[in-house]
Amino acid sequence: MAKSPMDKDDAARIQSAAARNPDSDSRQEDFDRRAQSAADRNEAQGQDQDDEDD
């Protein structure tokens, strides 16, 4: 299975799961916060690439 970059929808699902179960390992290790950060970075990189294509 090919990996795809983290996007806003992926990050939202992770954050929702962490909110439902704050004692989970993912939540305790701040994975939800890191997922959102990665989605933000990927979105910014995508916008930069779109600008270059114009």
Side-chain angles (χ1 to χ4, degrees):
M1 175 191 264
K3 292 182 182 180
S4 60
M6 180 74 64
D7 64 18
K8 296 282 186 175
D9 290 336
D10 297 330
R13 281 193 301 276
I14 292 167
Q15 289 175 324
S16 178
R20 284 191 307 270
N21 186 2
D23 295 326
S24 69
D25 289 340
S26 295
R27 176 61 194 116
Q28 295 299 316
E29 296 175 8
D30 289 331
F31 184 65
D32 57 332
R33 181 185 54 79
R34 291 184 288 129
Q36 183 63 52
S37 178
D40 291 343
R41 271 194 316 274
N42 291 335
E43 182 179 54
Q45 287 176 350
Q47 289 175 351
D48 290 345
Q49 290 175 354
D50 290 344
D51 291 344
E52 292 173 3
D53 292 340
D54 290 340

